[in-house]
Amino acid sequence: MDICIIGSGLSGLSAAYALLKKSDKFNITILEKKDVIGGCLSSSRAGRGYIEDFYHHCFSGDTELFELSKELGIYDSLEWLSGSTGYYVNGKIYPLTTPVEILKYPHLSFIDKFRLGRFVLGAKKYDAAEYEDVGAVEFAIEKCGKSAYKSFFEPLLRGKFGDAKDKVSAAWLISRVAIRSDRKAGGERLGYFRDGYNSLIESLAAKLKERGCAINTGTPVTALKFNGETKKWSVNGVEYDAVISTIDPRKLTEIGGPKIIDGDIHFQGAACMSIGLKREVTDGIYWVNMRDDAPYAAVIGHTNFVPRERYGEDIVYLASYFCKKPDGNLEERMLEDFLKRFNLGRDEINWYHLTIEESAGPIYTKGYRRLIPSAGREDLKGFYCAGMFSEENYPERSMEGSIKAGYTAAERLINDYRE
Ligand SMILES: Cc1cc2nc3c(=O)[nH]c(=O)nc-3n(C[C@H](O)[C@H](O)[C@H](O)COP(=O)(O)OP(=O)(O)OC[C@H]3O[C@@H](n4cnc5c(N)ncnc54)[C@H](O)[C@@H]3O)c2cc1C
């Protein structure tokens, strides 16, 4: 049976893996538009190793990710590291990891800190799905008060969703806070593979190739249609018995594919600059959120999380999200601002590169859940989908969610074609 998978991100690779694990009757071709595999989890060479183009870490509940890494033989290289946090306000970095640091933070009143602490510690008790139709902004104000919202949540929501922040569902906020409340004195407990997430993508791809799967990079799917006569799906002119699409549903219709979402779903884009530096700039902190106005929402000190010695230099990310396409000179604006703000000379930068992804994740607006497409449909024989828009990635997309979404699509296909 010939199967085409559109996209070589975690959803696509996981779907192929699940299919080939079950049977050798599947002849799978993965088509990837970019020159590299991995999608949002792609990596580039940095110093002595690889670094993700977009910062990544995993969480203690990511059971499918752990299982998969065991099957690929890389689980032993999973390390649990501490991720400290801080806030950049009025030109100064304030550490906000330990209770003492939080108490000393001058930009929140004692009562605001108390309300925030109570909300963060209690976030796991809320059932996110029940708050699907409540706005994140209203919810944060109700639980923490207006001033805590203004000085703490608003900059985070603005940085992540821009103008769309008022439409975001409280379900997203709750799950986001709950997942990030696994804290110890030194910071949040976050997982990272010793050789980076590149090792996950590469070992998964190697396993697929070993089992006969073709992965064709630099091959965008531009034409997809169902041939009523042969009852097959034509992808760039080649016919397949089934297709699994892992791409943004809006882009799927642009290439001729079916409309799988009945409503208005928005994706946000991400622009992330990684920079190799001669010195450390975030006072030893991993994740610094910007409250001051800057062309990036956070400065992520990667080598304050993963030991610097692995790369032989300091590495930071400048992270930003966008809803409308960023203007052409974003790279220069980000770099200029960063150099000025952190008193760095150009000669202190070893290298930098900007990665832009227009479909970096759905915006979880109120009512989003009702729009989620199912992995397969009776009326679309041979067509399946999995990705950041899937049920498994609600209400926040993740590596774990994309692996599960890939598995679900594969399972559905296997069930439909069971002999
Ligand atoms: C900035 C950022 C930070 C993140 N941090 C974390 C984190 O710390 N922890 C965590 O668990 N998750 C994190 N994630 C989420 C995680 O990366 C994603 O959930 C996951 O990688 C998505 O995989 P996917 O296969 O569903 O989608 P994608 O990775 O988007 O894969 C889709 C693939 O399809 C390809 N494609 C698109 N159109 C076509 C076409 N026409 N023809 C062929 N190919 C096409 C794309 O190039 C891409 O490779 C982060 C994501 C981003 C953007």
Side-chain angles (χ1 to χ4, degrees):
M1 178 178 181
D2 294 327
I3 298 170
C4 176
I5 298 181
I6 309 175
S8 71
L10 259 187
S11 297
L13 297 178
S14 307
Y17 180 70
L19 289 170
L20 292 174
K21 227 169 105 172
K22 275 274 150 69
S23 164
D24 54 11
K25 72 173 182 188
F26 302 120
N27 179 23
I28 303 176
T29 306
I30 300 179
L31 301 180
E32 168 56 53
K33 73 169 176 186
K34 292 186 188 161
D35 292 331
V36 290
I37 58 167
C40 289
L41 197 51
S42 63
S43 299
S44 301
R45 278 213 90 92
R48 296 179 208 133
Y50 281 91
I51 174 132
E52 298 74 31
D53 294 321
F54 296 111
Y55 42 90
H56 272 79
H57 41 242
C58 66
F59 305 94
S60 56
D62 292 348
T63 48
E64 287 297 350
L65 171 65
F66 304 151
E67 201 45 52
L68 174 62
S69 63
K70 277 178 195 160
E71 291 170 16
L72 296 172
I74 59 164
Y75 180 71
D76 289 345
S77 71
L78 181 64
E79 302 172 316
W80 290 98
L81 306 167
S82 280
S84 52
T85 49
Y87 236 111
Y88 183 98
V89 189
N90 300 339
K92 192 171 176 295
I93 295 175
Y94 293 90
L96 277 173
T97 303
T98 66
V100 173
E101 287 167 353
I102 295 168
L103 280 173
K104 279 190 185 161
Y105 181 61
H107 297 284
L108 277 174
S109 67
F110 181 75
I111 184 80
D112 286 346
K113 287 175 193 169
F114 172 75
R115 284 174 167 162
L116 261 174
R118 193 180 50 186
F119 174 56
V120 171
L121 294 173
K124 282 190 177 140
K125 75 171 190 251
Y126 296 106
D127 176 2
E130 276 182 26
Y131 293 86
E132 166 72 19
D133 293 315
V134 178
V137 174
E138 296 93 277
F139 186 75
I141 293 175
E142 187 199 311
K143 297 295 168 204
C144 304
K146 204 158 193 157
S147 67
Y149 165 74
K150 273 266 162 219
S151 48
F152 190 80
F153 285 115
E154 193 183 66
L156 297 180
L157 282 165
R158 201 182 336 106
K160 178 104 178 160
F161 299 110
D163 293 341
K165 73 176 188 337
D166 297 319
K167 296 184 191 150
V168 172
S169 158
W172 173 81
L173 185 70
I174 291 167
S175 76
R176 183 80 186 169
V177 172
I179 204 171
R180 308 217 61 158
S181 57
D182 186 7
R183 287 176 183 274
K184 287 204 165 132
E188 205 178 348
R189 219 176 136 255
L190 301 169
Y192 193 78
F193 289 104
R194 203 165 34 244
D195 298 316
Y197 285 93
N198 185 56
S199 58
L200 174 72
I201 294 294
E202 286 303 331
S203 53
L204 189 47
K207 186 71 88 192
L208 296 179
K209 285 179 188 163
E210 204 180 285
R211 294 180 184 175
C213 171
I215 306 179
N216 301 344
T217 52
T219 314
V221 173
T222 52
L224 170 68
K225 63 171 193 267
F226 185 67
N227 183 338
E229 273 173 34
T230 58
K231 305 276 180 246
K232 291 186 180 209
W233 287 88
S234 160
V235 185
N236 290 354
V238 178
E239 295 211 327
Y240 296 88
D241 300 297
V243 166
I244 301 179
S245 171
T246 69
I247 67 176
D248 175 344
R250 299 167 311 171
K251 306 261 157 108
L252 176 66
T253 51
E254 283 170 23
I255 58 171
K259 190 173 185 310
I260 54 170
I261 291 189
D262 195 16
D264 214 8
I265 161 172
H266 303 274
F267 263 64
Q268 61 178 343
C272 185
M273 184 178 278
S274 26
I275 312 177
L277 289 168
K278 294 209 163 60
R279 70 179 165 91
E280 200 278 313
V281 290
T282 55
D283 298 351
I285 299 172
Y286 173 43
W287 195 290
V288 178
N289 288 307
M290 302 297 292
R291 212 182 85 174
D292 290 6
D293 205 19
Y296 39 91
V299 180
I300 300 161
H302 180 73
T303 40
N304 290 331
F305 172 55
V306 176
R308 178 189 195 281
E309 301 73 66
R310 291 200 192 151
Y311 308 93
E313 62 183 344
D314 284 289
I315 297 176
V316 297
Y317 290 105
L318 307 183
S320 81
Y321 285 97
F322 58 87
C323 290
K324 290 185 199 112
K325 254 193 179 161
D327 41 356
N329 67 353
L330 179 68
E331 181 170 286
E332 202 43 37
R333 278 195 298 122
M334 273 180 145
L335 197 62
E336 281 294 319
D337 183 284
F338 176 64
L339 293 175
K340 209 162 140 208
R341 210 178 276 276
F342 291 89
N343 294 317
L344 280 156
R346 287 223 174 214
D347 57 342
E348 291 183 278
I349 291 194
N350 296 332
W351 54 267
Y352 65 90
H353 68 83
L354 180 67
T355 309
I356 295 183
E357 173 55 64
E358 275 180 40
S359 300
I363 300 181
Y364 297 97
T365 47
K366 286 175 260 182
Y368 176 91
R369 190 171 204 173
R370 293 187 284 278
L371 302 178
I372 296 176
S374 114
R377 280 182 11 196
E378 296 286 317
D379 60 331
L380 284 176
K381 179 143 176 59
F383 181 87
Y384 302 87
C385 65
M388 290 188 277
F389 49 84
S390 296
E391 175 83 40
E392 295 78 0
N393 267 315
Y394 172 87
E396 171 65 328
R397 48 103 172 102
S398 64
M399 295 181 277
E400 174 78 359
S402 288
I403 294 169
K404 284 182 175 166
Y407 288 176
T408 303
E411 214 173 282
R412 177 87 199 235
L413 188 155
I414 291 165
N415 284 339
D416 287 353
Y417 288 88
R418 210 178 283 283
E419 277 137 31

